[in-house]
Each structure stands twice: as C-alpha cells, then as structure tokens.
Amino acid sequence: METADVVIVGAGIAGLVAARELSHQGRNVVVLEARDRIGGRTWTDRRLGYDLEIGGTWIHWTQPHSWAEVTRYGLDVTRGPVAEETYWLAGDEVRRGGLEDLMGLIDSGMRRVLESTRTWLPRPDQPLAVEGLEEVDNRSLQDALDELDLSVDERNANESAWVGHFNGPLDQCSFLSAMRWTTAAAGSWHLMHEATAIYRLAGGTRGLVDAIARDGGADIRLDSPVRNIAHDADGATVSYGEGKEIRAEHVIVTLPQNMIGQLPVDPPLEEGKTAPSAEKTGSQGVKAWIKVKGPIKPFFAYSSQQHPLSVVRTEYLDDDVAVLVGFGADGSRIDVNDAEQVSAALRTWRDDLEVLETTGHDWMDDEFSQETWLIQRPGQFTKYHAAQQRAEGRLHFASGDHANIWAGFIDGAIESGLRAVREVS
C-alpha cells in the first residue's frame, strides 16, 4: 500500500496552507482533491470577458492571516468603482440618492443591533470565552432586527445589507454570526462592511491559490474524491478515486460543514461534527455576475430580503459595458444563468439596464460543497464549534467554516489550516 506522512482531504485554501507548512517541515504530504481544480470555494474563472470570483472574493488588512499571505507573496489589492448612484426601496417605492444617503439609512439600525457586540465577544480569537453566550446564539438575526422598530425603508435596507453579508434568510441565520464579524472588525459596523465587501486581489484569488500550491511542493492529486477513511491509534487508511488506497500517520479533513457528515469514517466521527452537517448552514443564497450594456454610472442598490437579488453593485466598469455583482438570500428563487430572470430582478430598481450576459455557480447544488460561505443557524456555534475543531485520534479538521476569527472567509481557512498543522506537528 502507498504511504505518506500526512494525507489532506481537499485542496481548498485550508488544505493548501496545511500542505505547504507540512511540506516545509519535510513531511511527505499527499493532497486528495475531488474537483478538477484547486481552490475549493475560492475560484477565479474567466467569464463575461473578465476574471470573475465565482466564490470567495474579499480580503482586508484587518484579516491577519490573509494579509500575511498578501505580504508573503507580494500580491496587489484593488477594489471596484465607488458608487455614484444608489437605489433602495420604501415599500414598493424606489428611492435614489448618493452612497452617503444609503449608508446613512442603515447606520442607526446597524449601530443599535450590534451595540452589545464587545460585551459578548471582547476577543474574536476566543469566541467562546464569555459565559451565557448561548443567549445570543439561540436568537436569529431577524429576531434582533425585529426589535428595532425600523421604518420600512430602514428595515428593507438593513435586511438587504445583511443578506449581502450572510447570503441566507435572516430568520435562519444566527445573530451571533453578525457579532462575530463585527468584533473581528474592532466593533465597528463600518469597518466590518469594508472588510467583508470592498477589497479584492488585483489578479484574482487564483494568484493566492496558485502561490500557496506551488510553495512547498506537496503532491496534489485532482479528480481524486475520498470514498472512506478508516483510522486507528497508529494512523489512517484513506480510500479514494477508483479503488485506490493510501496509508498515512495523520489525515487532515477540510470538508465544509454541510459535507463532512457525508464522508464515511470508521470509527464514525463524533456527533458534534455530524449533527451540524445534517442540520445544514444558514447560508443558502446566490451570487450573480451580470454584464450590462454601457456606459453607466457605477451604482449600488438594496431591495429587500424577499427579492431574488437583495444587493447589486457595479464591480467592473468600461466605456461600453459594465459588470455587476448581486446577492440573494435563497438560491432557489433565481437562476443566475438565465438572463431574463436576472433582468427581471434588476427591474426592481431600474428598467434602463440592458443585460448582455449573466453567470454564476450553484454552490448549494455543488456536490463537493453544498453550501456557500459559512453562516451558522441559531445555536450551532455554541453547541458545535469546539467539537468541529477537535481532533479525533490521528484525524484533524481544518476549514474556514470553523475558524475562530473570520469564519467563512479566506482568512478563516488559513487560520484553520495553520491550527491543524500545529496539531500534527
């Protein structure tokens, strides 16, 4: 039987970082990736004439692990055009203004809903430190917003802003997730908004993914889905592909929350890992890329969480075309590859946009992810977080889904990969 020091299941960023670090230690590392590409839910693809981020995108200097990688590889960071026009809804009435008007509209709701963040989460790197955190975690973000008595336009805008962040129905998303993002941004909703939705790598996340993969020289095998893991006190045997097996002293599993419970493991994984996998994440939305005829002014728009697209903004701008990015709470409400459905969604705000092409990826239907970026359901974090991180014998677990600081982000994946390496070492 083939042997290795460490087998890593998945070539997303968590797996690639772990492979790099262990290879630098002189370990014989094999990475088994089910897809025909590396990167996992971070995926730059050439579409609509641009390098588009089909999955994870945004990066910021308040994200310590990501920024260390930017520095390490000398990557450039950029941003899309600043909006010159904004649109929002007061009931069914479309209102229009500048960016400062839209930000001012959501400011009071944001500040009020997040005012106790630093009380419950004084340190983002120790997210379970405060006793009684279940009190917050068991509430949905919708519960918290409903207590604010917002006007109809404030309510629509605040809910849309959170759909853009959370990519799911707010009554199925934990209020604690909002606090976790905010405390990672020093308690400021303005900084949190900037850190999670503005800046991106100039050459695409592909540049970061490729740089990590090249650094260290681990053996990365594509089209190699893992079928089974049998582990004991001395290591584990991993079955993958078409009848192949490999024996390793340690295995690092990097599957997302929704997927890990579907991996056959003998002896079985603890319930703290399989139960949240069965419950699924709160994030179940959609990301759409939309090419429209130009010239247009860059714009930003909020509708409501009930609309197919709650948030749309200009991400690339040329003389004759523009590319918009949009987000909705429920991926089943719209086919982002259907130009007519997307055109209808845009008419929520304006009927002067000519849609040329659209694209996207159904991450909920992706057999190797079955989720977008992580937002947990009420109660999941305090109930399962420690178990999701915990090693089981020679099996270790790394995923941005259960990072401490920026869970669901590239930064969280890096943090988690480094933690798993420390355990193995």
Side-chain angles (χ1 to χ4, degrees), residues 56-68:
T57 306
W58 286 285
I59 198 168
H60 197 268
W61 44 92
T62 57
Q63 297 171 343
H65 305 91
S66 294
W67 208 253

Side-chain angles (χ1 to χ4, degrees), residues 74 183 263 325:
T183 198
L263 176 65
V325 64

Side-chain angles (χ1 to χ4, degrees), residues 168-244:
L170 303 186
D171 62 353
Q172 299 178 44
C173 298
S174 170
F175 177 36
L176 185 61
S177 293
M179 288 189 169
R180 291 185 67 199
W181 283 28
T182 305
T183 198
S188 164
W189 84 259
H190 288 279
L191 184 56
M192 180 272 289
H193 183 81
E194 178 182 281
T196 61
I198 304 296
Y199 293 94
R200 50 181 164 79
L201 292 172
T205 53
R206 178 193 296 123
L208 175 60
V209 169
D210 289 346
I212 297 171
R214 287 193 302 266
D215 189 356
D219 180 0
I220 301 173
R221 303 178 186 179
L222 304 180
D223 299 307
S224 299
V226 171
R227 310 297 185 187
N228 179 75
I229 300 175
H231 62 112
D232 53 43
D234 299 319
T237 300
V238 180
S239 302
Y240 72 99
E242 299 300 324
K244 299 178 181 178

Side-chain angles (χ1 to χ4, degrees), residues 381-395:
F381 178 74
T382 49
K383 189 174 182 180
Y384 301 126
H385 181 67
Q388 288 175 310
Q389 291 187 339
R390 186 162 49 235
E392 299 189 32
R394 296 298 185 98
L395 303 186

Side-chain angles (χ1 to χ4, degrees), residues 2-10 19 23 27-33 218-221 224 240 246-248 250 252:
E2 183 183 8
T3 62
D5 294 330
V6 184
V7 166
I8 298 175
V9 181
S23 295
R27 307 262 186 163
N28 174 19
V29 180
V30 174
V31 183
L32 301 176
E33 169 56 50
D219 180 0
I220 301 173
R221 303 178 186 179
S224 299
Y240 72 99
I246 184 169
R247 178 74 180 176
H250 298 270
I252 299 177

